[in-house]
Amino acid sequence: MSLPARPRNRRVLPRWRDTRAAVETGEMRSLQRASADEKARAQQAGVQRLVTLQREFGAKPSVGRAAELTGAAALMNRPDVAEDAAVYLLLNAEQTTPAALASARTLLALPAPGEAALQAPQGTGLLTVQAEVRRLRPLLREFPHNPLMHLDLARAYAALGQAQRAERHLQVALALAPQHRFALRTAVRFHVHTHDPRAAVTLLRRSDRTPHDPWLIAAEISASMVAGVAPRFVRRARDLVENWDLDPLHISELAAALGTLELKDGGKSKRVRKMFRQALEQPTENAVAQVQWVAPQVQVPLDEQQLKSVPRNFEMRAWERYSLSRFEAARDAFECWLQDEPYAATPVIMAAYLAGALDPTPTRAIELTRLGLTAHPADEVMLNNMAYYLAIGDQLDDAETYLRRAQAATAPGNVWNGANLVATQGLLLFRRGQPDAGVHLYEAAAALAKRSALPQRAVIAQLNLARELIRCGDERAPAVLLRALEEARALTSPDVDLAVAHLRAQMQRLGVPPEVLPPTLFR
Amino acid sequence: MTSPPPTISTHPALFLHGLTLEGGWRVTGRATTVKGQPAGGHQSVGYFVERADGHPGFLKAIDLSGIIQARNVMRALQEVTEQFNFEVSLLEHCSDMRLSRVVHAIDHGEHRIPGALIPVPYIVFDRADGDVRDHLEATTVDDGWLLRCIHHVVVGLHQLHTARFAHNDVKPANVLVFEALGSKIGDLGTAVDASGTSPHGGKAFAGSWDCAPPEVPCLAEQADAWQHGRRCDLYMLGGLITFLFTHQHFNTFLKRELPEELLPLFWGGDFTGPFEEALPYLLAAFDRAAREVEVALRPRLHPSVAGEVTRSIRELCHPDPARRGHPRNLSGLNPLGLERYISLYDRLVMKAGLARKRGSRP
Ligand SMILES: Nc1ncnc2c1ncn2[C@@H]1O[C@H](COP(=O)(O)OP(=O)(O)OP(=O)(O)O)[C@@H](O)[C@H]1O
Ligand SMILES: [Mg+2]
């Protein structure tokens, strides 16, 4: 199996999340800030109203008055003023309604607002996405004018590889909410997903809102970079970033996009760094991931304390944990990222890759890859990996089919995947009971990888070869294993660490006593 | 700073109990608490009164004593005068037009207490047997009664709209219950007229913000005060219907479904718009809220009635002001018309009655 190469050209493209998750990130926040005056006025009106309701309830208690006060207090987040009224409702439970009683109970428990914790990742798979479609379709028949529901359904269709349906619902959403930031940004992500970044650029340039909204300008810059055209609002963007005096969150992605643009155009590193530093003032997770991505070229320190409060910071966390070889934790983060973007290729490949290496059976890896292939049916890495997982699960004929599709999808010059394909072929031969041919292909794969300056891939091929030899009790096993571990030691790479960990676990499952294995396997 | 306690000479409006006013009204008791601004503005307070012939009334007295502390006394005086005169003339207009479902004023005037510095302007109404909040105990009212009450409110609102006024403060406290006559709409103090010249025509929403549609706390700009006023009425009507059956305003349901980030200031958040930005989320929250309302209505109402009530709430409480109202009206000349709701609730009263009869048959 193989990893995706980490994206060579990461751009600060808008995320396309579930609309319920998207509000968490601040993307929906308004650019205007309430003036102190407005706040005071709203508060004063509220206080006066609550005082009146309190007095009216006190003067002549009844469930109607108690319920009115309880409701208004809940609305204005002032549970303290309605405690008596809530108690009154509970004492007169038979005179009121379950809805009012539930409110009264909530109110008396004084819940802290905004306590919504991050949900543990639920499995994302084809079935979950299909279930989402089944959930949304009847709802939309009932509420055809809900743009958010159209966006969510479009997203589910995109994850299922049904780009046309996705686009149709996207169009409806845009017709219902043409100037809506999130709808526009979603459309941008969609067009890039379907390899039509120019459509994204056109859409943004046509919207009156774009020049005034840093979130949209950020998307315009990034989509233009993907499309290979010159971004239109760069001067305006610099201006905004320079003179921004509102919530810095709003320009986080814009600054990150500008920094990326300047970096690509060979801008002065001081300026580039300044941009990224600004992106981090109050960052979105997308900006954080971008800073992490540029780190080899531009060093901008990430503040761990600050990162803790960045919502949905999955991509950055996933790669961070992976690079530290914390694989179980990395897997959780990739799964979270996948839940955020079920149509995206990288998280699904990585989540499956980790599942394949860590789980005793390839079931989850196959399930995830099936999801990935639904959205990206010609992705050569996924096709190859699918063949690999199926072979590991001894579904050899299916594996063969995928392998052939992978071969057809791989461009001739793609050595990265080329070497992997040869190795997978070797695996398949092993499982078909032809170890000699298997050895031959694995060694060819390792040699090809080495020639192409991919030493990790070469070592991984050898480690997998060792595993197959041990599995079938072949006497060549010890020598191959020792050599592979020797070479592995010389490399510091999480990919190799993971392969070693996988091998270790595999040996344990096969019941190979640790004493017969080389101690280097356990370091 | 503690101000001296109010006395009959400083705050005469608060001490009318036991007096007989110039118009011949004997004040038999205090009916309501004092509300309004104690300093820098005016307050109002309600009394039970009786005419010489025994006719019972409800007197709303205006307490002007706090007004001299206003930052701009002349402006404040002018404002309260305009509001009072507008309410009186509107009430007279309603009586002239015989609006049967709007509470009638039977007198108004100014009372002077010897030795007091300021007069007490007042309005006397036909006395109701409390407002609807005093009639919601689940074991004492049935759905037939509530549906009839709604029917009366819709008729009253329709009468007002036809007279080219929007009420702007439709809420439980302003639905007055007359044991013999059913319910009527009260409190025209915040109404706006079609020409936009009424005291509350131009300003920020004058009614109770907690019952107002979301565009009010979201501070959406309003081009047309008359249209805005009627749209607010429709929403508040839907909120009232929700409240009568569930004991929770529609806004309480709606807020629960809205993400923190999009809560306007008045709803305990700090979202300040633009309204259009919040609207898609409001729509999504609205769908969920309407479902919750329907769930809450189910055990209360006969299924066939619950469905239609929910539908009307959905139409009236639509968060998009442009799509508020009966779907069959929306594309027509009178998108905010209430006639269809009058006949709907008239029919639902009967339907509920029949369902009850059928249900109780052995
Ligand atoms: N005609 C009436 N008969 C009996 N009670 C009444 C009558 N009119 C009003 N009330 C009672 O007095 C309360 C306040 O009346 P009204 O709404 O007219 O005054 P307000 O000062 O404008 O109050 P708010 O601004 O809170 O609506 C009502 O909620 C109701 O309980
Ligand atoms: Mg009132």
Side-chain angles (χ1 to χ4, degrees), chain B residues 293-329:
Chain B
V293 170
E294 182 161 22
V295 170
L297 286 180
R298 277 270 134 85
R300 188 81 212 238
L301 288 166
H302 190 269
S304 63
V305 178
E308 295 197 71
V309 171
T310 314
R311 186 156 358 116
S312 72
I313 292 173
R314 252 181 203 294
E315 294 159 6
L316 293 165
C317 288
H318 203 292
D320 184 348
R323 301 226 303 276
R324 202 169 290 153
H326 198 285
R328 285 217 224 120
N329 291 347

Side-chain angles (χ1 to χ4, degrees), chain A residues 355-412:
Chain A
L358 300 171
D359 288 352
T361 69
T363 316
R364 179 73 181 147
I366 291 174
E367 185 190 10
L368 286 168
T369 310
R370 192 157 280 146
L371 170 72
L373 281 169
T374 318
H376 306 265
D379 186 289
E380 70 274 11
V381 174
M382 288 188 215
L383 287 167
N384 170 64
N385 289 3
M386 190 64 158
Y388 174 93
Y389 302 134
L390 288 167
I392 292 285
D394 285 321
Q395 304 177 41
L396 301 181
D397 291 341
D398 286 348
E400 189 90 51
T401 312
Y402 276 100
L403 185 60
R404 249 182 261 125
R405 281 175 60 191
Q407 284 160 340
T410 304

Side-chain angles (χ1 to χ4, degrees), chain A residues 489-513:
Chain A
R489 228 152 50 105
L491 296 165
T492 43
S493 142
D495 303 3
V496 174
D497 284 352
L498 183 59
V500 173
H502 168 67
L503 185 60
R504 207 159 44 220
Q506 204 58 37
M507 294 303 99
Q508 208 177 1
R509 279 182 215 121
L510 288 171
V512 182

Side-chain angles (χ1 to χ4, degrees), chain A residues 19-20 22-24 26 28-34 38-39 42 44-46 48-49 52-53 55-56 59-60 62-65 67-68 70-72 74-77 88 94-100 103 113-114 139 142-143 145-149 176-177 179-182 209, chain B residues 33-38 43 130-131 133-134 136-140 171-173 204 208-211 219 243 245-248 251-253 255-256 259-263 265-274 276-278 280-281 283-285 287-288 291 296 299-300 314 323:
Chain A
T19 52
R20 285 162 297 185
V23 282
E24 230 180 90
M28 307 293 169
R29 237 171 263 168
S30 72
L31 296 180
Q32 301 159 11
R33 234 180 346 195
E38 274 174 320
K39 266 190 195 171
Q44 202 204 336
Q48 214 175 56
R49 171 82 175 134
T52 302
L53 290 174
R55 281 202 204 142
E56 289 182 331
K60 195 174 171 188
S62 69
V63 289
R65 289 169 190 239
E68 193 183 25
T70 316
L75 191 72
M76 297 178 220
N77 268 4
Y88 182 92
E94 77 290 353
Q95 299 292 4
T96 186
T97 65
S103 280
L139 281 176
E142 224 176 308
F143 312 119
H145 302 295
N146 182 336
L148 300 183
M149 238 179 236
L176 290 168
Q179 299 288 330
H180 198 253
R181 179 194 296 153
F182 186 73
R209 181 162 178 176
Chain B
T33 56
V34 185
K35 51 185 119 182
Q37 274 178 281
Q43 312 187 91
D131 64 60
R133 294 174 301 175
D134 307 321
L136 290 182
E137 272 65 17
T139 56
T140 57
K171 62 177 179 183
S208 305
W209 279 42
D210 54 318
C211 302
L219 309 174
F243 185 83
F245 287 111
T246 70
H247 295 185
Q248 299 277 284
N251 278 340
T252 313
F253 287 92
K255 180 199 174 176
R256 214 176 288 145
E260 283 281 319
E261 284 77 359
L262 292 160
L263 294 178
L265 281 174
F266 190 83
W267 288 13
D270 58 9
F271 181 82
T272 51
E276 291 65 37
E277 197 62 45
Y281 280 85
L283 290 170
D287 284 337
R288 293 194 293 272
R291 247 153 218 273
R300 188 81 212 238
R314 252 181 203 294
R323 301 226 303 276

Side-chain angles (χ1 to χ4, degrees), chain B residues 97-150:
Chain B
M97 300 202 24
R98 304 189 182 281
L99 304 190
S100 56
R101 289 290 156 202
V102 178
V103 72
H104 277 215
I106 39 186
D107 196 6
H108 65 91
E110 279 171 22
H111 182 72
R112 285 181 185 276
I113 292 179
L117 298 171
I118 36 173
V120 182
Y122 64 85
I123 306 176
V124 184
F125 303 88
D126 280 331
R127 187 194 300 173
D129 303 296
D131 64 60
V132 75
R133 294 174 301 175
D134 307 321
H135 296 261
L136 290 182
E137 272 65 17
T139 56
T140 57
V141 296
D142 62 17
D143 30 306
W145 189 90
L146 291 172
L147 290 165
R148 180 54 75 198
C149 170
I150 295 166

Side-chain angles (χ1 to χ4, degrees), chain A residues 226-282:
Chain A
V226 178
V229 299
R232 179 170 287 175
F233 304 105
V234 175
R235 188 124 42 86
R236 174 111 187 93
R238 289 212 187 95
D239 223 47
L240 275 176
V241 170
E242 208 103 315
N243 302 307
W244 194 254
D245 61 352
L246 298 177
D247 222 347
L249 175 80
H250 290 303
I251 52 154
S252 171
E253 295 200 5
L254 181 57
L258 270 179
T260 312
L261 179 70
E262 304 224 343
L263 186 68
K264 179 179 145 273
D265 294 347
K268 284 212 190 72
S269 72
K270 214 172 110 188
R271 267 178 68 147
V272 175
R273 204 170 310 125
K274 183 167 162 236
M275 279 299 147
F276 282 114
R277 225 179 274 128
Q278 218 156 345
L280 289 181
E281 211 172 304
Q282 191 191 334

Side-chain angles (χ1 to χ4, degrees), chain B residues 45-280:
Chain B
V45 56
Y47 291 95
F48 297 125
V49 292
E50 244 176 58
R51 209 159 49 192
D53 63 0
H55 187 91
F58 174 90
L59 180 141
K60 180 158 134 180
I62 309 294
D63 170 31
L64 297 171
S65 54
I67 253 179
I68 39 167
Q69 291 175 49
R71 213 176 298 161
N72 186 335
V73 179
M74 298 311 281
R75 162 105 40 84
L77 265 174
Q78 187 190 350
E79 267 175 25
V80 67
T81 311
E82 271 175 12
Q83 282 171 27
F84 185 82
N85 290 340
F86 178 75
E87 190 171 350
V88 168
S89 73
L90 174 52
L91 285 162
E92 278 171 351
H93 187 58
C94 291
S95 295
D96 292 349
M97 300 202 24
R98 304 189 182 281
L99 304 190
S100 56
R101 289 290 156 202
V102 178
V103 72
H104 277 215
I106 39 186
D107 196 6
H108 65 91
E110 279 171 22
H111 182 72
R112 285 181 185 276
I113 292 179
L117 298 171
I118 36 173
V120 182
Y122 64 85
I123 306 176
V124 184
F125 303 88
D126 280 331
R127 187 194 300 173
D129 303 296
D131 64 60
V132 75
R133 294 174 301 175
D134 307 321
H135 296 261
L136 290 182
E137 272 65 17
T139 56
T140 57
V141 296
D142 62 17
D143 30 306
W145 189 90
L146 291 172
L147 290 165
R148 180 54 75 198
C149 170
I150 295 166
H151 174 241
H152 288 161
V153 173
V154 184
V155 172
L157 213 48
H158 174 67
Q159 291 176 337
L160 272 176
H161 285 191
T162 311
R164 303 191 55 76
F165 290 95
H167 184 280
N168 249 341
D169 203 15
V170 182
K171 62 177 179 183
N174 290 337
V175 174
L176 301 173
V177 177
F178 295 80
E179 231 122 73
L181 299 169
S183 307
K184 297 189 182 197
I185 293 185
D187 191 1
L188 304 184
T190 49
V192 295
D193 64 7
S195 67
T197 53
S198 47
H200 292 295
K203 271 184 291 172
F205 183 73
S208 305
W209 279 42
D210 54 318
C211 302
E215 65 266 26
V216 167
C218 285
L219 309 174
E221 302 260 337
Q222 299 303 336
D224 180 342
W226 163 232
Q227 183 187 55
H228 174 53
R230 280 176 303 154
R231 284 177 172 168
C232 286
D233 278 357
L234 261 59
Y235 187 93
M236 294 176 100
L237 173 63
L240 175 76
I241 298 173
T242 314
F243 185 83
L244 293 187
F245 287 111
T246 70
H247 295 185
Q248 299 277 284
H249 196 274
F250 191 81
N251 278 340
T252 313
F253 287 92
L254 187 61
K255 180 199 174 176
R256 214 176 288 145
E257 303 296 336
L258 207 60
E260 283 281 319
E261 284 77 359
L262 292 160
L263 294 178
L265 281 174
F266 190 83
W267 288 13
D270 58 9
F271 181 82
T272 51
F275 179 63
E276 291 65 37
E277 197 62 45
L279 190 53

Side-chain angles (χ1 to χ4, degrees), chain A residues 91-429:
Chain A
L91 289 176
N92 293 282
E94 77 290 353
Q95 299 292 4
T96 186
T97 65
L101 290 172
S103 280
R105 261 183 236 110
T106 323
L107 188 136
L108 287 171
L110 298 172
E115 229 176 21
L118 270 191
Q119 276 182 346
Q122 311 144 345
T124 300
L126 216 46
L127 289 177
T128 340
V129 181
Q130 280 163 347
E132 179 72 353
V133 171
R134 274 200 305 278
R135 180 181 78 83
L136 287 168
R137 274 221 315 240
L139 281 176
L140 262 182
R141 269 198 293 277
E142 224 176 308
F143 312 119
H145 302 295
N146 182 336
L148 300 183
M149 238 179 236
H150 284 284
L151 289 179
D152 284 342
L153 187 57
R155 176 168 164 277
Y157 277 132
L160 293 175
Q162 306 189 23
Q164 273 178 350
R165 284 201 170 140
E167 183 158 15
R168 217 166 46 227
H169 285 282
L170 203 58
Q171 299 296 357
V172 178
L174 277 173
L176 290 168
Q179 299 288 330
H180 198 253
R181 179 194 296 153
F182 186 73
L184 285 167
R185 282 169 53 90
T186 296
V188 169
R189 186 68 187 83
F190 171 80
H191 289 309
V192 173
H193 171 74
T194 54
H195 309 292
D196 191 4
R198 268 168 200 270
V201 175
T202 311
L203 179 73
L204 285 172
R205 291 185 181 172
R206 259 205 320 249
S207 164
D208 296 336
R209 181 162 178 176
T210 305
H212 310 287
D213 189 310
W215 297 83
L216 293 177
I217 302 183
E220 199 269 345
I221 292 176
S222 303
S224 297
M225 288 173 76
V226 178
V229 299
R232 179 170 287 175
F233 304 105
V234 175
R235 188 124 42 86
R236 174 111 187 93
R238 289 212 187 95
D239 223 47
L240 275 176
V241 170
E242 208 103 315
N243 302 307
W244 194 254
D245 61 352
L246 298 177
D247 222 347
L249 175 80
H250 290 303
I251 52 154
S252 171
E253 295 200 5
L254 181 57
L258 270 179
T260 312
L261 179 70
E262 304 224 343
L263 186 68
K264 179 179 145 273
D265 294 347
K268 284 212 190 72
S269 72
K270 214 172 110 188
R271 267 178 68 147
V272 175
R273 204 170 310 125
K274 183 167 162 236
M275 279 299 147
F276 282 114
R277 225 179 274 128
Q278 218 156 345
L280 289 181
E281 211 172 304
Q282 191 191 334
T284 69
E285 62 73 37
N286 200 355
V288 169
Q290 191 68 8
V291 169
Q292 185 197 40
W293 178 79
V294 298
Q297 291 150 300
V298 190
Q299 285 292 330
V300 187
L302 288 162
D303 171 4
E304 185 50 40
Q305 208 45 44
Q306 189 197 29
L307 284 181
K308 285 209 176 88
S309 60
V310 176
R312 308 192 86 76
N313 189 17
F314 304 137
E315 181 183 344
M316 179 265 165
R317 285 293 185 220
W319 288 120
E320 177 191 57
R321 291 167 183 179
Y322 186 78
S323 70
L324 297 171
S325 299
R326 292 174 48 209
F327 298 121
E328 288 288 355
R331 176 186 182 173
D332 286 348
F334 279 115
E335 288 257 9
C336 283
W337 177 11
L338 175 61
Q339 213 183 10
D340 239 9
E341 299 194 303
Y343 54 86
T346 308
V348 80
I349 295 176
M350 287 305 294
Y353 186 77
L354 283 156
L358 300 171
D359 288 352
T361 69
T363 316
R364 179 73 181 147
I366 291 174
E367 185 190 10
L368 286 168
T369 310
R370 192 157 280 146
L371 170 72
L373 281 169
T374 318
H376 306 265
D379 186 289
E380 70 274 11
V381 174
M382 288 188 215
L383 287 167
N384 170 64
N385 289 3
M386 190 64 158
Y388 174 93
Y389 302 134
L390 288 167
I392 292 285
D394 285 321
Q395 304 177 41
L396 301 181
D397 291 341
D398 286 348
E400 189 90 51
T401 312
Y402 276 100
L403 185 60
R404 249 182 261 125
R405 281 175 60 191
Q407 284 160 340
T410 304
N414 184 345
V415 267
W416 173 281
N417 213 44
N420 294 324
L421 289 170
V422 177
T424 307
Q425 177 94 61
L427 169 66
L428 209 55
L429 289 170

